Amino acid sequence: MTEQEKVDPQLETFILSETQKQRFQVLVHGLTDTCWDTCMGHPTNRLGSKTEVCIMNCVERFIDATTFITKRLMNTTKYRSEAPLEFQ
């Protein structure tokens, strides 16, 4: 391995951290757009109780779905790393 091919561990950690921050921001923006489109009729000066409940439910379901998918992917990845696929 040449000097140019070596990766600085601090730089790698920084890039990973920034990538995770960016993914989180994209997730939050997507959540905001989805719940806004689903729950908001015509914007007014105040948030009505039905709209507030809708947004809370939307956010909770979005978080539940994201958690479920993340756990499923982690389990799938763990399973694949423990028992690699064999092709015949």
Side-chain angles (χ1 to χ4, degrees):
M1 184 177 282
T2 66
E3 287 293 322
Q4 291 178 341
E5 293 174 334
K6 291 182 182 179
V7 178
D8 180 10
Q10 288 179 329
L11 178 60
E12 190 173 17
T13 301
F14 174 76
I15 290 171
L16 180 61
S17 173
E18 291 301 310
T19 301
Q20 289 174 340
K21 287 178 190 177
Q22 182 184 17
R23 287 181 183 159
F24 180 75
Q25 288 176 342
V26 167
L27 184 66
V28 169
H29 287 295
L31 170 63
T32 303
D33 288 344
T34 299
C35 291
W36 179 270
D37 291 343
T38 301
C39 298
M40 293 300 291
H42 298 291
T44 61
N45 292 340
R46 296 183 343 152
L47 190 62
S49 62
K50 287 183 181 180
T51 304
E52 185 176 349
V53 169
C54 179
I55 290 174
M56 286 174 39
N57 287 335
C58 180
V59 170
E60 288 172 3
R61 295 304 70 80
F62 192 88
I63 291 170
D64 290 344
T66 301
T67 301
F68 174 79
I69 292 168
T70 301
K71 285 180 182 179
R72 180 65 80 121
L73 288 173
M74 288 173 59
N75 288 339
T76 301
T77 303
K78 181 181 176 187
Y79 173 76
R80 285 186 181 165
S81 67
E82 290 175 356
L85 296 176
E86 295 181 17
F87 297 100
Q88 295 181 355

